[in-house]
Amino acid sequence: QWWQVFYTLCSDIVDATITESPRDFLRVFLARLLKWQSMLKLLDEKRMSQSEIQGLWGELIFLYRHLSKKFSWSSAVNSWKGPWGHPQDYSVEGDVIEIKTLQNSSRREVMISSLNQLDHVGGRIFLHLIVVGMSEDSYADALTLNELVSRIRQSIDLDIETRDAFDAAVSKAGYVYDPAYDLARYLVVEENTY
């Protein structure tokens, strides 16, 4: 289980330092190591609840399936504002998008946490509803939170600046790799934008 964390750490350090000159190598290496050290400290803190995992999964699947297809990864990641305290999850070309993720078996009611989520000056506001089901390991489109984060990081590929921005955002949202996040596999059952 923890070998995945170590492998990801090593891959990230190699990606960040591979093009550095010998003079800058040590500085970049130590900066990356310190970043990982602070992220791994979060493992000792509270693990995300099931509803937090599901909500983050919904925000990330929207980023992966929709925004990254319409915009560059840099623009898509930078449009994700929720982790930074913005009332809505995404801000795209003057419009804002709030993502709500519900279980397939649950009633189709969403909870608006504050009136600020419904307030936006200057553009349109959208509610994107994602209905998810739990799935077996064998279904190809079903992803755990860890798998989705990994898939996004791989898609961003060698754009270190964008990957750093993504890592900072998921960290701010409360995510740090945890084997427990591989227990629930989600599958999009339905999506609607209002």
Side-chain angles (χ1 to χ4, degrees):
Q1 294 174 353
W2 291 106
W3 69 266
Q4 291 174 322
V5 175
F6 182 70
Y7 176 80
T8 303
L9 179 147
C10 291
S11 294
D12 183 60
I13 289 174
V14 167
D15 289 346
T17 59
I18 198 161
T19 60
E20 295 298 327
S21 68
R23 191 179 81 200
D24 293 332
F25 174 84
L26 187 57
R27 178 187 53 78
V28 173
F29 174 80
L30 290 175
R32 291 311 263 202
L33 209 50
L34 289 172
K35 174 190 154 198
W36 274 93
Q37 182 182 24
S38 66
M39 283 178 38
L40 291 172
K41 279 184 184 178
L42 293 175
L43 286 176
D44 293 334
E45 296 180 7
K46 182 186 141 227
R47 184 175 279 152
M48 291 185 344
S49 70
Q50 194 61 38
S51 65
E52 290 169 325
I53 293 168
Q54 180 179 297
L56 180 57
W57 192 94
E59 290 179 33
L60 293 177
I61 202 71
F62 181 79
L63 175 72
Y64 183 70
R65 290 175 73 175
H66 299 290
L67 292 183
S68 72
K69 305 301 185 230
K70 185 173 181 179
F71 303 100
S72 69
W73 270 109
S74 177
S75 295
V77 168
N78 288 322
S79 73
W80 187 27
K81 305 295 185 191
W84 307 107
H86 195 274
Q88 295 87 21
D89 297 312
Y90 291 94
S91 179
V92 181
E93 297 180 337
D95 296 330
V96 293
I97 306 164
E98 177 63 23
I99 308 298
K100 294 295 181 185
T101 309
L102 302 174
Q103 285 281 344
N104 191 29
S105 60
S106 66
R107 293 176 40 183
R108 303 286 168 92
E109 296 177 356
V110 297
M111 174 71 99
I112 303 298
S113 60
S114 76
L115 288 176
N116 288 341
Q117 285 189 308
L118 301 176
D119 187 27
H120 177 62
V121 177
R124 297 173 296 175
I125 184 166
F126 295 97
L127 172 65
H128 188 82
L129 179 64
I130 301 173
V131 179
V132 297
M134 302 300 278
S135 181
E136 300 296 321
D137 289 344
S138 60
Y139 198 81
D141 290 337
L143 295 168
T144 69
L145 180 57
N146 287 333
E147 289 168 340
L148 183 53
V149 169
S150 178
R151 194 171 284 187
I152 291 170
R153 290 184 94 249
Q154 289 171 2
S155 296
I156 294 170
D157 199 24
L158 295 178
D159 183 349
I160 302 298
E161 188 175 317
T162 299
R163 197 166 64 195
D164 284 350
F166 174 74
D167 289 345
V170 292
S171 178
K172 187 78 171 168
Y175 174 85
V176 175
Y177 175 86
D178 188 324
Y181 298 154
D182 283 323
L183 300 177
R185 300 182 73 77
Y186 296 103
L187 174 68
V188 174
V189 175
E190 180 182 339
E191 290 183 84
N192 290 297
T193 302
Y194 303 96

